[in-house]
Amino acid sequence: MRRFAGKVTLVTGASRGIGLAVAHRLVAEGGQVVLTGRKPEALEEAVAALGADNASAVAGKVDDAAHREQVFAHVAERYGRLDHLVNNAGINPAWGPVLEVEPSVVRKILDVNVVAALEWTRDAVAAGLRSSIVNTASISGTSTSPNIAFYGVSKAALINLTGQLAQELAPRLRVNAVAPAVVKTHLSRALYEGREDDVAAGYPLGRLGVPDDVAGPIAFLLSDDAAWITGQTLRIDGGASIVPVG
């Protein structure tokens, strides 16, 4: 498959986990990718693995306006086009009941998980984004989420933002989201580490997700195979959402 031949995709939060898996999937299908993330060394390793002809990277914080400006200048200079955007960067520095989350932490989560996605989208559109956007949300944004409560609140906001953007940017651009359950990444380790078998037992498919389980659906939503899909949030949850309650 060469669905992304000649296409350029910008992926935030791409030095590891889901973002890096997305980059590998797009390159495998003929695309070129621009990666962002906080750690220069990790990005350098990612570019080396993907191939310098296929990938480039700019290190920085996703909620930093100067970093965004640098990234889009790089995209314009090196590629002269931008076809797709994956808003994948996210954080969850809070653990516990939502009433116990410090206001400063609340603001930081919203800045990274929601406001940054809006700002990257705004700048991508201004830069002439040609095709589609996928936001990485979470099933925690579709229901209550013990211990990661405000993370879930932020992802609920991102899901709503996805619909709003899809409506406003149609028909020029498509905007969708994915909502994974527990995927084995650095961000989610606290949710399963030391008890993976017990957590996985709650999923009809009998295992936790891995980054490639999300990369494929994201590639689909970006591609022309999803040309009549916009404003949707695709649950990628190993069947967790069909487990009966009680």
Side-chain angles (χ1 to χ4, degrees), residues 6 33 52 72 94 105 111 197 205 221:
V33 292
F72 284 104
V105 176
D111 281 345
D197 289 346
L205 291 184
L221 289 171

Tab-separated table of all heavy atoms in Angstrom, residues 6 33 52 72 94 105 111 197 205 221:
chain	number	residue	atom	x	y	z
A	6	GLY	N	4.088	10.741	-1.619
A	6	GLY	CA	4.058	12.156	-1.957
A	6	GLY	C	3.396	13.039	-0.924
A	6	GLY	O	3.275	14.249	-1.121
A	33	VAL	N	7.351	12.184	7.070
A	33	VAL	CA	6.813	12.641	8.345
A	33	VAL	C	7.731	13.667	8.991
A	33	VAL	O	8.955	13.611	8.849
A	33	VAL	CB	6.601	11.460	9.318
A	33	VAL	CG1	5.497	10.552	8.825
A	33	VAL	CG2	7.893	10.674	9.535
A	52	ALA	N	16.504	9.221	7.102
A	52	ALA	CA	16.551	10.674	6.962
A	52	ALA	C	15.822	11.173	5.721
A	52	ALA	O	15.399	12.339	5.676
A	52	ALA	CB	18.013	11.140	6.943
A	72	PHE	N	6.600	24.868	11.745
A	72	PHE	CA	5.951	25.187	10.478
A	72	PHE	C	6.907	25.863	9.501
A	72	PHE	O	6.771	25.683	8.277
A	72	PHE	CB	4.689	26.016	10.720
A	72	PHE	CG	3.549	25.183	11.235
A	72	PHE	CD1	3.181	25.219	12.578
A	72	PHE	CD2	2.869	24.338	10.386
A	72	PHE	CE1	2.153	24.431	13.052
A	72	PHE	CE2	1.828	23.537	10.847
A	72	PHE	CZ	1.469	23.587	12.181
A	94	ALA	N	-1.454	14.111	36.788
A	94	ALA	CA	-2.318	14.040	37.979
A	94	ALA	C	-2.847	12.633	38.170
A	94	ALA	O	-3.285	11.983	37.224
A	94	ALA	CB	-3.481	15.016	37.840
A	105	VAL	N	-2.082	22.384	37.818
A	105	VAL	CA	-1.997	21.143	37.048
A	105	VAL	C	-3.169	21.041	36.073
A	105	VAL	O	-3.012	20.598	34.931
A	105	VAL	CB	-1.952	19.921	37.987
A	105	VAL	CG1	-1.952	18.622	37.196
A	105	VAL	CG2	-0.719	19.988	38.880
A	111	ASP	N	-3.822	22.947	28.699
A	111	ASP	CA	-2.945	23.604	27.732
A	111	ASP	C	-2.333	22.602	26.755
A	111	ASP	O	-2.255	22.858	25.550
A	111	ASP	CB	-1.827	24.363	28.446
A	111	ASP	CG	-2.279	25.696	29.011
A	111	ASP	OD1	-3.369	26.172	28.609
A	111	ASP	OD2	-1.556	26.267	29.851
A	197	ASP	N	-1.956	-8.783	33.590
A	197	ASP	CA	-2.892	-9.878	33.307
A	197	ASP	C	-4.283	-9.582	33.860
A	197	ASP	O	-5.297	-9.867	33.207
A	197	ASP	CB	-2.370	-11.189	33.881
A	197	ASP	CG	-1.173	-11.723	33.119
A	197	ASP	OD1	-0.916	-11.236	31.997
A	197	ASP	OD2	-0.472	-12.602	33.657
A	205	LEU	N	-10.965	-8.942	24.048
A	205	LEU	CA	-9.901	-9.478	23.204
A	205	LEU	C	-8.714	-9.996	24.015
A	205	LEU	O	-7.737	-10.484	23.446
A	205	LEU	CB	-9.443	-8.438	22.184
A	205	LEU	CG	-10.488	-8.118	21.107
A	205	LEU	CD1	-9.922	-7.144	20.069
A	205	LEU	CD2	-10.980	-9.381	20.408
A	221	LEU	N	-7.848	6.807	9.017
A	221	LEU	CA	-8.606	8.053	9.110
A	221	LEU	C	-7.924	9.203	8.367
A	221	LEU	O	-8.599	10.103	7.860
A	221	LEU	CB	-8.834	8.427	10.573
A	221	LEU	CG	-9.827	7.539	11.331
A	221	LEU	CD1	-9.808	7.870	12.812
A	221	LEU	CD2	-11.240	7.676	10.763
